[in-house]
């Protein structure tokens, strides 16, 4: 009898559930299109590039300022299975937000296996802290910081939501006013048991520390959670159960199931102004 590893899955089945290529064999084409669009947008938009927010070479960020000073800011955490992609692939998230009066910060950070998941999360937290400390210099309201992420960036966004900002950073507990963790991973035990642990090297304790669904705080902001019907079963389950847990804790959450979209398409379409998921993000940001 074949051994069940997690959630009714054998090892081979679990590995497939955390391998996007099993459903999206042309993912590289989508990602290249995102990179090309992002390069074009950086040439067309007002932006300030490669600002250092930490001590390592990859701790840099890009700022896309809104036309009017004093507005909110979205900090975007990119995806890529914690091992690939960069801020240079993700400038496409900025145009619709900037058009709505929202400043955008797109973070770069070190990747696995060079960096541990704890370190990746720490660097993204440092990016949020940077946005708070540098609000006056770049012209946004430090009391209107919002976190958005997709895929492994959705996981990171979830971890921003459960951070002890007051205790660990001497910042306001409610520094994040809303968030949109989309198509993410919020319980990392199945990830630890899958092939992804060959580069994450998670222990049981590290998986627990980095499972945001286990650390939902008593007070928390409203969130937007979206995923596609064309995603892997595990990714749909992860988002659905995180949204349910957020709501069960008494917090506000709106979920959006994007019909026919695969994992990578969700990462683009969540920033499409005609999609209700984007409208809900703007509502939570306070600019709808």
């Amino acid at each position: 009898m074949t051994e069940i590893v997690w959630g009714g899955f054998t090892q081979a089945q679990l590995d497939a559930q955390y391998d996007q290529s099993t459903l999206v064999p042309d993912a590289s084409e989508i990602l290249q299109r995102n990179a090309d669009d992002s390069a074009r947008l950086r040439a067309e938009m007002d932006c300030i590039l490669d600002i250092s927010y930490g001590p390592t070479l990859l701790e840099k960020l890009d700022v896309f300022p809104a036309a009017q000073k004093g507005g909110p800011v979205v900090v975007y955490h990119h995806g890529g299975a914690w091992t690939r992609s960069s801020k240079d692939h993700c400038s496409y998230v900025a145009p619709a937000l900037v058009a709505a009066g929202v400043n955008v910060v797109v973070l770069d950070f070190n990747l696995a296996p060079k960096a541990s998941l704890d370190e990746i999360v720490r660097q993204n937290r440092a990016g949020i802290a940077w946005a708070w400390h540098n609000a006056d210099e770049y012209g946004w309201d430090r009391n209107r910081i919002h976190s958005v992420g997709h895929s492994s960036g959705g996981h990171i966004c979830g971890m921003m939501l459960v951070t002890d900002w007051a205790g660990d950073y001497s910042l306001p507990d409610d520094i994040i006013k809303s968030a949109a963790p989309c198509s993410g991973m919020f319980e990392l035990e199945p990830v630890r048991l899958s092939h992804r642990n060959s580069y994450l090297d998670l222990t049981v304790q590290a998986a627990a520390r980095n499972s945001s669904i286990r650390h939902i705080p008593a007070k928390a902001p409203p969130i937007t959670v979206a995923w596609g019907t064309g995603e892997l079963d595990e990714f749909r389950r992860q988002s659905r159960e995180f949204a349910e847990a957020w709501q069960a804790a008494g917090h506000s959450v709106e979920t959006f199931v994007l019909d026919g979209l695969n994992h990578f398409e969700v990462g683009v379409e969540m920033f499409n102004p005609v999609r209700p998921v984007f409208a809900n993000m703007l509502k939570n940001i306070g600019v709808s």
Side-chain angles (χ1 to χ4, degrees):
M1 183 176 178
T2 306
E3 181 182 358
I4 298 301
V5 176
W6 170 272
F9 297 119
T10 65
Q11 186 67 64
Q13 289 169 337
L14 185 64
D15 288 345
Q17 283 294 320
Y18 286 94
D19 180 358
Q20 298 294 343
S21 67
T22 60
L23 284 185
V24 194
D26 62 343
S28 61
E29 297 175 16
I30 299 173
L31 297 176
Q32 186 59 54
R33 185 162 62 247
N34 291 346
D36 293 344
D37 288 345
S38 293
R40 173 180 56 79
L41 288 164
R42 286 194 299 278
E44 295 173 354
M45 296 181 68
D46 183 16
C47 53
I48 310 164
L49 306 178
D50 297 323
I51 303 166
S52 292
Y53 70 90
T56 67
L57 289 176
L58 278 181
E59 288 178 83
K60 289 186 168 60
L61 55 84
D62 294 342
V63 170
F64 296 84
Q68 186 171 349
K69 299 291 186 181
V73 60
V74 159
V75 178
Y76 182 71
H77 316 276
H78 76 74
W82 303 285
T83 65
R84 61 180 183 272
S85 193
S86 73
K87 65 179 177 60
D88 292 345
H89 292 78
C90 299
S91 306
Y92 70 86
V93 309
L97 287 166
V98 170
V102 181
N103 300 274
V104 177
V105 170
V106 183
L107 295 178
D108 237 349
F109 44 89
N110 286 277
L111 301 172
K114 181 180 178 181
S116 68
L117 192 54
D118 286 320
E119 174 62 10
I120 290 170
V121 169
R122 186 207 63 77
Q123 289 182 16
N124 279 266
R125 285 169 170 158
I128 296 282
W130 180 93
W132 192 90
H133 286 293
N134 290 275
D136 292 341
E137 180 176 354
Y138 290 94
W140 52 73
D141 184 348
R142 65 170 41 85
N143 296 312
R144 300 175 71 189
I145 296 174
H146 307 265
S147 172
V148 176
H150 173 258
S151 191
S152 55
H155 161 263
I156 292 167
C157 180
M159 292 301 296
M160 301 303 100
L161 286 165
V162 303
T163 299
D164 180 2
W165 292 106
D168 294 341
Y169 290 87
S170 299
L171 293 173
D173 274 329
D174 64 346
I175 186 173
I176 296 174
K177 295 303 190 290
S178 80
C182 296
S183 297
M185 289 156 283
F186 309 100
E187 169 55 68
L188 294 196
E189 185 60 12
V191 177
R192 184 186 73 83
L193 295 170
S194 79
H195 71 95
R196 291 194 180 209
N197 212 36
S198 63
Y199 59 79
L200 289 174
D201 198 25
L202 293 171
T203 63
V204 171
Q205 294 78 14
R209 280 195 303 274
N210 289 287
S211 293
S212 55
I213 197 169
R214 304 195 199 184
H215 306 289
I216 296 175
K219 294 183 179 180
I223 66 171
T224 303
V225 181
W227 64 92
T229 60
E231 300 211 44
L232 292 159
D233 291 344
E234 269 292 274
F235 276 77
R236 288 186 278 125
R237 179 194 66 79
Q238 288 262 12
S239 287
R240 183 178 64 253
E241 292 189 359
F242 184 70
E244 291 169 352
W246 201 257
Q247 186 173 49
H251 308 321
S252 176
V253 56
E254 294 288 340
T255 59
F256 298 86
V257 182
L258 304 182
D259 189 45
L261 297 190
N262 66 42
H263 183 73
F264 301 97
E265 291 167 336
V266 170
V268 175
E269 286 298 308
M270 58 189 279
F271 297 98
N272 185 338
V274 306
R275 293 275 186 183
V277 58
F278 185 75
N280 197 74
M281 287 166 57
L282 291 187
K283 180 192 76 173
N284 286 344
I285 292 169
V287 295
S288 59

